[in-house]
Amino acid sequence: MNENRDPQTSGQVVEWAVVESDIGPLLLAATGHGLVNVVFHADAATRDAAVERLAARFGGMPVEAPASPRLAEPIRQLAAYFAGELRTFTLDLDWTLISGFNREVLRELARGVPYGSVVGYGDLAARVGQPGAAQAVGAAMGANPLPVVVPCHRVVESDGGIGGFGGGLETKRHLLALEGVLPAPLF
């Protein structure tokens, strides 16, 4: 994954589209620096709220652009992921929406927890030099602006529990089953 450093947000155009996936509609948003946001369950109300948050953060109304070249590769790679054909995303990412400890944790997650594996909250905290910060890692997962691509679904409880998930536990189970970590549901 290519990681861009602190791009300027003033005057940036954000383009977005809603795409269907195995876990429901996803809103994808990108800037000239890369994919900046993935939003689960992108029904009309969720989509409108996400677009408003992006407008407030970037200082201009995002543009719906499903045919945008900025979104073509994220759309292609997500489709390949859900088809079981892609294990590693190679997208340019715009990290504008996350900073500090949360950004550090998410970058470590993206780099160090590959497809088909999981890590505990405490283990991930230790990887970034903060062994007592398991709860803070949980907060970072909840603040992840790039779920699926930055795989917060791969972070689980140390006692074997699945843990929480901003996209809902059914979505987390589906993603972990897709990656072979959990058995696929029977129905």
Side-chain angles (χ1 to χ4, degrees), residues 64-159:
E64 184 175 11
S68 168
R70 291 180 183 177
L71 294 169
E73 191 60 14
I75 290 168
R76 186 196 72 73
Q77 287 192 30
L78 279 161
Y81 170 80
F82 285 112
E85 300 165 357
L86 180 82
R87 292 178 172 235
T88 303
F89 291 97
T90 57
L91 298 169
D92 289 329
L93 301 178
D94 180 338
W95 293 90
T96 299
L97 298 178
I98 198 103
S99 62
F101 177 79
N102 290 355
R103 184 187 289 188
E104 183 180 357
V105 168
L106 291 172
R107 283 185 165 170
E108 174 57 31
L109 175 64
R111 281 189 298 262
V113 184
Y115 184 99
S117 65
V118 294
V119 66
Y121 292 93
D123 294 334
L124 190 53
R127 287 186 187 192
V128 297
Q130 300 289 329
Q135 286 185 322
V137 166
M141 296 306 104
N144 183 3
L146 296 162
V148 183
V149 176
V150 176
C152 52
H153 59 277
R154 296 180 190 154
V155 183
V156 297
E157 295 174 348
S158 60
D159 66 2

